[in-house]
Amino acid sequence: MDGILLEGVLIDAGYVNLDNRSAIRLTLKVGREISTLFDFSFHPYFYLIPSSKYTDPKMLEGIKVIDNGEEIGVLSARKAEIMLKGEMMQAFAVEVATTRQVPRMSDHLREFGSVYENDILFWKRYMIDKRISPLSGVRVKAHEENGMLAVDSIEPTVIRDFSLNYVCFDIETYNPKGVMPTADVDPVIMISYANGKERRVLTTKKIEREFVTSYATEKEMIEAFVEVVKKCDADVIAGYNSSNFDLPYLIKRAEKTKANFDMTRYCEEVKPEHHGLIEAVKIPGRINVDVYNVTKFVSIVGASEKLLRINNFKLGEVYRSIVGDEKFTVDKANIWQLWDGTKEEIEKLADYSLSDSIALEKLYEFFMPLEIEIAKVAGTTLGEATISTTGQLVEYLLMRYARDNNELIPNKPSEMDIENRIANPFEGAYVKTPDAGIYDNIAVFDFRGLYPSIIIAHNIDPSTVCKGCADYYESPDGVRFKKSPMGIVPKALEMLVAGRSEVKKAYKKDPDNKTLAARSQALKILANSFYGYLGYARSRWYDRSCASSVTAFGRSYITKTMDDAERMGFKVLYGDTDSIFLLLGNKKKEDAEAFLKSVNKSLPGSMELELEDFYVRGVFVGKKGGEAGKGAKKKYALLSESGRIKIKGFELVRRDWSFVARNTQKKVLEAVLHEGSKEKAVAIVKDVVAELKAGSVPIKDLVIYTQLRKKMDSYDSKSPELAAAKKAVERGMGRDEVEGTTIGYVITKKGNSISEKAELEKFATDYDPEYYIKHQVLPATLKILKELGYSEDELVEGGSQKRL
């Protein structure tokens, strides 16, 4: 029979167990069609580095062990020369028939030596060995076998243009008790969706809206949603907090109503999974994307300025920050009342349900280009990428480089290893704190990608650490690194840095290209995560000497650069990790640029100092409880020549301060930086204090946001947010609405202590002005105004300035 040749984009990879053997299953998108392929020739395997008395791998092939009543053995074993931490090792590659046999057989073979790579997921090993990557092109030669397409060969190819079909969805549930809905008793009453072609609401009531489709039963509604997924042949199913709530809830309701919830491509189960602290749901053949997890990741890595000032990660708040518009909303506690209400109220609920999916669709379109590029760069599936930390993404990438360089992938550390690593920290970055005050004419310089460039320039890698080597780099703390061969950590980093440089050039020529923008951001995120991964206690490639050497080199370069600046007549105002702030004084811009050129001439490899900008004025505040006049690190505001204000560390970029405090601080900073007017700055504070005392500040401006990360009962001390949450639950609010989420509370007048006065925003009817004056507005602004000679009494009581 003639072979079949297919070229397409790899959507997903997994494995199945067929006839007592494990086979790789690939979901391939060829044009608009989906093809499913199986590779029966690839077997699960791991490595054994035998003790010296075992030299022949064939001796392993006769070993038999009992696993759950079944006799299993080694399928094959072969010799392999492979590197481990820079040394060539004689190893055995041990194959078994199924993935289930790997743990049992690898445990048994530990008596013969050391076992490696027995915990690499089968599908991930396949992609690493075949050098293919999800969401990238592959060329496959296959043949038909028992009604299936069997892979003969597979290799990467380039396919630039492809699209993913998606369904964004949301559910509404009916729970008249006003507590957390329970899938055992509380039905799903609406399922809304948007897929780029249509936006609809499925429900079990007749509603006169053109976008509504009604069904007689909940079972029919759930099955109709499954048909929507199948009809549009969704590659991606996206929700918001859907892995934690919507999908598990639908799974249970489907069981309860006996609905067919098979929305997979392979007539299999939709299964909830645990990935550390993150919940996930596996939909075989399709990609599950929880945009809530994506949003939090993007916020943590700082990949979107639009997320910097959000107060919480609720859908409406994120939608407002990304889209710049308000999402239609209702009080979730009243959903059951709207459902039982008038015709107009039921229609309002349908409008709300649809608005959730429409908002989600816009967020999906905003975030997905970045997530797709992150998955492609790291070499993992899109579903896996959306639930991964930066460390895990770096690990996926290094696994690929390990295989390309014939290196063993290190084992995960034991709990004892992790404890020892945590107990043995190393010195971090150098910081020269500023003197508190207001300064003019500042030049700010940054080392471009300092830690990545240090790792590349000095070949820092666990495999290059040496003692007796002749040709080496030596870190300031005495660790030596071989100059060659290049380790996989610097090699991977060099690829990321060089790749980003090329992408940025292309993006400059095509500034509207979202894919190029996303790829540049993805490359930057991963490159900036390598140093942290080397020093992360749970890392496979953890190496204390490597991580400490990176920071030691960093301290050396930043202090030398500061010394050079002082020798050239500049005054160093502030230095932190990879940046220095110089006061120009009588010097000109040309002098700063000459200094920049002289520094760069002395730097090795790709290391480079860059001029960030010239600033006409800057405010550096004092350290809380610190030495008088001593400034705090990472807490300043600068005004550039173009009028842009750069703010670091102030309350206005944190959500755990009220808007009235943040906004007042912002206005004070603008008055000082833009106008140089301390009088106007003081007047702003006095006006806000007067408004607070008069009770005229809107309650929404007084909300303080914070996150309850644990269950309410697990807290030892009683904080204002905890007290507010407990009172809300006593009033009938669901625990899920407060536990593990970001909540907003207000300090009201009723009560003696601050905790007693705390109420969630929805229950607050007044506020305590003295609290907001003394604990919010004044602390936020005095950090600036005390540098101008003002005290708290002068701002509240209207006294005159005592200093300056």
Side-chain angles (χ1 to χ4, degrees), residues 184-394:
D184 288 336
V185 294
D186 297 323
V188 175
I189 54 176
M190 288 181 179
I191 305 174
S192 63
Y193 69 87
N195 62 12
K197 297 176 182 176
E198 61 177 356
R199 298 166 169 178
R200 299 199 64 79
V201 172
L202 313 180
T203 185
T204 53
K205 271 190 180 180
K206 185 69 176 174
I207 303 175
E208 293 182 6
R209 282 282 195 267
E210 61 178 14
F211 56 80
V212 173
T213 304
S214 302
Y215 297 88
T217 65
E218 183 186 1
K219 175 178 181 292
E220 290 178 22
M221 177 182 64
I222 292 173
E223 290 179 340
F225 175 61
V226 171
E227 284 306 308
V228 167
V229 171
K230 291 181 176 180
K231 183 179 177 182
C232 77
D233 199 16
D235 302 307
V236 179
I237 298 172
Y240 201 83
N241 199 32
S242 52
S243 292
N244 191 52
F245 180 74
D246 300 68
L247 283 171
Y249 203 95
L250 282 172
I251 291 169
K252 289 181 181 178
R253 289 309 299 169
E255 291 172 358
K256 193 76 175 176
T257 62
K258 296 184 170 47
N260 179 2
F261 195 61
D262 175 19
M263 60 168 61
T264 74
R265 279 187 163 127
Y266 303 123
C267 299
E268 295 177 8
E269 282 187 273
V270 179
K271 288 184 178 180
E273 295 179 342
H274 301 286
H275 290 259
L277 299 175
I278 295 180
E279 299 297 319
V281 176
K282 182 71 175 174
I283 307 173
R286 307 192 199 275
I287 305 165
N288 173 37
V289 172
D290 190 332
V291 179
Y292 172 76
N293 292 333
V294 174
T295 303
K296 293 191 75 174
F297 174 86
V298 172
S299 176
I300 289 168
V301 301
S304 174
E305 290 187 8
K306 292 181 177 181
L307 292 178
L308 290 179
R309 292 176 176 83
I310 65 170
N311 293 317
N312 58 64
F313 289 100
K314 292 181 179 179
L315 178 60
E317 182 75 19
V318 176
Y319 178 79
R320 182 188 305 114
S321 68
I322 297 299
V323 180
D325 196 9
E326 295 291 330
K327 187 189 83 66
F328 177 67
T329 189
V330 299
D331 188 340
K332 284 200 168 188
N334 295 333
I335 285 177
W336 69 274
Q337 293 174 317
L338 295 175
W339 182 252
D340 287 342
T342 64
K343 172 178 175 291
E344 288 74 20
E345 286 175 322
I346 297 173
E347 290 173 351
K348 180 181 179 182
L349 183 58
D351 293 339
Y352 165 70
S353 178
L354 187 64
S355 74
D356 275 356
S357 286
I358 292 173
L360 174 60
E361 183 178 40
K362 290 185 179 179
L363 297 185
Y364 172 88
E365 290 169 348
F366 178 83
F367 288 120
M368 275 310 99
L370 175 61
E371 280 300 324
I372 287 171
E373 293 305 318
I374 285 175
K376 289 166 72 174
V377 172
T380 190
T381 63
L382 177 57
E384 191 91 358
T386 62
I387 58 173
S388 295
T389 64
T390 53
Q392 289 168 328
L393 294 168
V394 168

Side-chain angles (χ1 to χ4, degrees), residues 116-156:
Y116 287 86
E117 300 194 11
N118 61 319
D119 59 353
I120 310 299
L121 293 176
F122 188 35
W123 63 266
K124 196 168 290 185
R125 179 181 287 290
Y126 181 82
M127 292 195 300
I128 291 170
D129 283 16
K130 299 295 184 180
R131 292 167 173 79
I132 59 175
S133 179
L135 303 180
S136 296
V138 292
R139 180 184 292 113
V140 185
K141 288 182 181 178
H143 67 274
E144 286 192 17
E145 183 178 316
N146 299 324
M148 295 179 282
L149 282 178
V151 174
D152 295 317
S153 67
I154 185 168
E155 62 183 10

Side-chain angles (χ1 to χ4, degrees), residues 397-469:
L397 186 60
L398 287 178
M399 285 180 178
R400 290 177 169 272
Y401 274 80
R403 181 58 69 245
D404 289 343
N405 287 269
N406 193 37
E407 287 196 22
L408 275 175
I409 296 170
N411 288 327
K412 289 180 179 178
S414 66
E415 287 303 317
M416 183 175 291
D417 289 333
I418 293 168
E419 289 176 11
N420 290 337
R421 293 172 178 182
I422 293 172
N424 193 22
F426 48 87
E427 188 177 353
Y430 173 81
V431 177
K432 169 186 166 44
T433 55
D435 290 331
I438 298 170
Y439 300 88
D440 293 335
N441 298 327
I442 304 166
V444 178
F445 300 88
D446 285 301
F447 281 98
R448 185 182 67 187
L450 178 62
Y451 285 173
S453 61
I454 285 173
I455 292 171
I456 295 168
H458 303 91
N459 201 24
I460 296 176
D461 185 277
S463 70
T464 63
V465 177
C466 63
K467 289 185 178 178
C469 48

